[in-house]
Amino acid sequence: MTRTRTTTRPPSRRDQRAPGARRRPRGPHDWFAERLLAVLSGRRPVHSLLGHTVGPAYEQLVTLAPSDPFRDRLTPVLRHCGRFHPGPGVIEAFARIATGDRVSAMAFRLEQGPDLRWRCAAIEIHGPRT
């Protein structure tokens, strides 16, 4: 019996990725960006990030969530999340959010506590709000 292949990968290759494609290791900023977007779009409750925020960041989140720029639109999609390390134990991250043909941005700062857990210390949302 002849077997026809439906893929272009060599028979010995087991993974599904394209040749040469590299996966960037996911960091705490990726995880937080996904959770933050879920809260801002109404898919998760605000209190789901209570243990992942410190100080005024939770208060910022509480004020952003009801007047959320993503809630009345199509389902927002996280297009890209990047980061910058200004110092040890600090990540300043940004994310591009696509909702239909509109693009918004969010920025947040993660700080690593003495227990080595990352917590958000500041949040900003920019872009179309209608």
Side-chain angles (χ1 to χ4, degrees):
M1 170 167 111
T2 35
R3 188 173 150 191
T4 59
R5 286 183 15 177
T6 58
T7 64
T8 58
R9 69 176 187 262
S12 61
R13 187 178 176 109
R14 298 280 182 232
D15 64 354
Q16 300 296 318
R17 292 178 291 145
R22 283 191 256 159
R23 293 205 37 124
R24 176 176 60 91
R26 295 183 49 84
H29 63 288
D30 294 306
W31 182 90
F32 190 79
E34 290 172 1
R35 296 310 184 283
L36 180 58
L37 182 59
V39 167
L40 294 176
S41 63
R43 291 180 282 142
R44 291 182 69 112
V46 176
H47 69 266
S48 67
L49 289 178
L50 183 59
H52 303 286
T53 56
V54 292
Y58 187 74
E59 296 302 321
Q60 286 177 304
L61 188 57
V62 168
T63 58
L64 284 173
S67 62
D68 162 49
F70 306 119
R71 197 176 294 271
D72 294 331
R73 294 196 240 149
L74 302 170
T75 303
V77 178
L78 184 66
R79 289 291 180 206
H80 177 74
C81 187
R83 70 191 178 288
F84 172 69
H85 291 276
V90 177
I91 297 174
E92 291 183 350
F94 64 90
R96 280 194 308 263
I97 311 300
T99 309
D101 61 348
R102 296 175 181 226
V103 177
S104 300
M106 57 185 181
F108 52 92
R109 179 182 174 97
L110 299 177
E111 296 176 352
Q112 195 171 31
D115 59 355
L116 302 180
R117 290 182 58 199
W118 291 95
R119 292 179 180 87
C120 180
I123 302 168
E124 289 185 24
I125 307 292
H126 299 280
R129 299 210 177 233
T130 59

